[in-house]
Amino acid sequence: MTIIGAQPYLTGYANTGFAGSKTTPTSTADTSAQAKAANNATAAVNVTLSAEAQAQAALKAQTDTRGADTVVIEARAAIDSLLKAAKALSALKDGKATIDLGELDRRELYAIASGRGGKFPIEEQVVATLELKARRDQALAQPAANARITGDHAGLYNAALEHLEAAGLEEKATGQWAKDKAALIAGRDQAIARPGVAPTGIEGDPIAAYLKDVGAVVANPRTCDFGKVAADVRSVLDRQYATAVGDGMASDPDSGEIDFSRFDARSLAAISLNRDDLFSQHEVREAAAEIRARNGDAVRDSYQASGSSEDPSAFGEAMIARYAGMTDEERDASDWRPQLYDQMVKLQDMRSQLASFFARASGPGGGSSLLDYL
């Protein structure tokens, strides 16, 4: 099975909205703050690879001589060991990861995320998908920051290409990988031709989708205390109003169209939930509408992408991965409740059971009762 998300460059990873990161702490206070943020995060998916480790992982991917079956066997063994150590029956519990896949290499993660060999249930596919996405986000974080400050978008596209090229054989064999590479090359060429200007008009541009996903108005929005996110967003909105010049654009908190193009999902949630009463009713309504629009786009794009997939369960998997990648605040703001997650899992399990039933029924020695699977 293959998880197909709405966002390109995930190469089979789901569009989750999750941007995991881990940096080397510089002080005891920093370490404590990061630990607290990690405990507050919804998804227990952490990137544990340093820049040096990532470089070594890329080299390993290019020299890895293991057969695909061996990768699957080793990935299965690693998952079993992690589940045993965590005393967990599943990689997900109530939409939260129970295991950390940070020690697995990219080929193993891709084997799990794509469900190779039918060895990995959906919960494991989702957690592997989030880990792959988190590593991608970590690889692009610094080049993206540089691009925002210096306008060096070519460097950002180059970093994305380097990360893409570090994929294993199985990942590179997919049509999505080829599409991502073509889009990134087009973006890099455009960035070189127009220094300081962000590339536009590129179909399936992975970087454009990534920048919208992570936002650019709040530092570390996914790990920062939620109250701090709200306070930072308040300051950003006030500065934005002071410089608004377009017709109909908001110049105060109570009217006009608010530009949310650089706001990430958690920052939007801070406005919509308005827990500290920092935002006007107009801002709350506008943020809620933006959240609905983004969720609608993600659901529609995932559904359309699943239509071209050989795996009919791809859409359900993408939706479960999206839920698992949200913070608690993002779920509240989107009205994605635990009951919705439970229903998605039940429907996905039913789909898998039906697929298994019909596969057996049509094969040698068929004739099992459908009730056996229900």
Side-chain angles (χ1 to χ4, degrees), residues 97-111:
T98 62
I99 55 177
D100 183 351
L101 303 185
E103 296 301 317
L104 276 66
D105 64 44
R106 184 161 168 177
R107 280 188 76 190
E108 292 165 348
L109 288 171
Y110 186 77

Side-chain angles (χ1 to χ4, degrees), residues 174-214:
T174 64
Q176 185 63 53
W177 187 91
K179 292 178 182 177
D180 290 340
K181 183 174 181 179
L184 289 173
I185 290 174
R188 181 192 62 187
D189 292 347
Q190 192 179 129
I192 292 173
R194 302 172 61 197
V197 179
T200 58
I202 301 171
E203 183 178 357
D205 182 0
I207 293 303
Y210 163 78
L211 291 175
K212 184 175 182 179
D213 182 32
V214 300

Side-chain angles (χ1 to χ4, degrees), residues 59-73:
L59 178 61
K60 179 181 178 181
Q62 305 308 313
T63 59
D64 191 347
T65 60
R66 292 176 297 174
D69 290 342
T70 299
V71 173
V72 169
I73 291 171

Side-chain angles (χ1 to χ4, degrees), residues 107-331:
R107 280 188 76 190
E108 292 165 348
L109 288 171
Y110 186 77
I112 300 167
S114 58
R116 280 190 169 269
K119 300 291 186 181
F120 308 99
I122 184 173
E123 294 86 0
E124 294 170 5
Q125 293 180 46
V126 166
V127 174
T129 291
L130 296 177
E131 175 68 22
L132 284 166
K133 186 176 184 294
R135 291 187 187 185
R136 186 285 309 265
D137 290 352
Q138 185 189 39
L140 299 184
Q142 190 56 54
N146 292 340
R148 293 183 181 109
I149 296 172
T150 67
D152 178 21
H153 291 91
L156 176 56
Y157 278 86
N158 271 328
L161 280 165
E162 289 176 5
H163 183 75
L164 191 70
E165 289 290 355
L169 297 175
E170 298 80 12
E171 194 174 339
K172 285 185 174 180
T174 64
Q176 185 63 53
W177 187 91
K179 292 178 182 177
D180 290 340
K181 183 174 181 179
L184 289 173
I185 290 174
R188 181 192 62 187
D189 292 347
Q190 192 179 129
I192 292 173
R194 302 172 61 197
V197 179
T200 58
I202 301 171
E203 183 178 357
D205 182 0
I207 293 303
Y210 163 78
L211 291 175
K212 184 175 182 179
D213 182 32
V214 300
V217 298
V218 174
N220 303 315
R222 298 197 61 85
T223 57
C224 188
D225 178 79
F226 194 57
K228 176 74 163 54
V229 172
D232 288 349
V233 169
R234 176 70 272 163
S235 297
V236 170
L237 284 173
D238 290 341
R239 291 197 300 270
Q240 189 166 291
Y241 298 149
T243 58
V245 294
D247 290 342
M249 297 303 295
S251 57
D252 60 66
D254 299 312
S255 63
E257 181 182 349
I258 303 174
D259 180 10
F260 287 124
S261 60
R262 298 186 306 123
F263 286 68
D264 66 281
R266 197 161 184 249
S267 295
L268 287 171
I271 304 172
S272 178
L273 295 175
N274 198 19
R275 290 178 176 173
D276 295 324
D277 199 25
L278 296 176
F279 306 100
S280 70
Q281 288 304 303
H282 176 69
E283 290 170 328
V284 170
R285 288 192 298 270
E286 291 288 297
E290 177 71 13
I291 291 170
R292 287 194 300 272
R294 291 192 186 186
N295 278 327
D297 289 344
V299 171
R300 183 194 65 246
D301 292 346
S302 291
Y303 182 77
Q304 291 175 346
S306 68
S308 61
S309 169
E310 296 179 357
D311 177 17
S313 67
F315 174 67
E317 293 170 4
M319 290 299 96
I320 293 173
R322 182 169 180 80
Y323 181 95
M326 288 179 171
T327 63
D328 288 336
E329 297 88 3
E330 289 168 44
R331 293 175 185 174

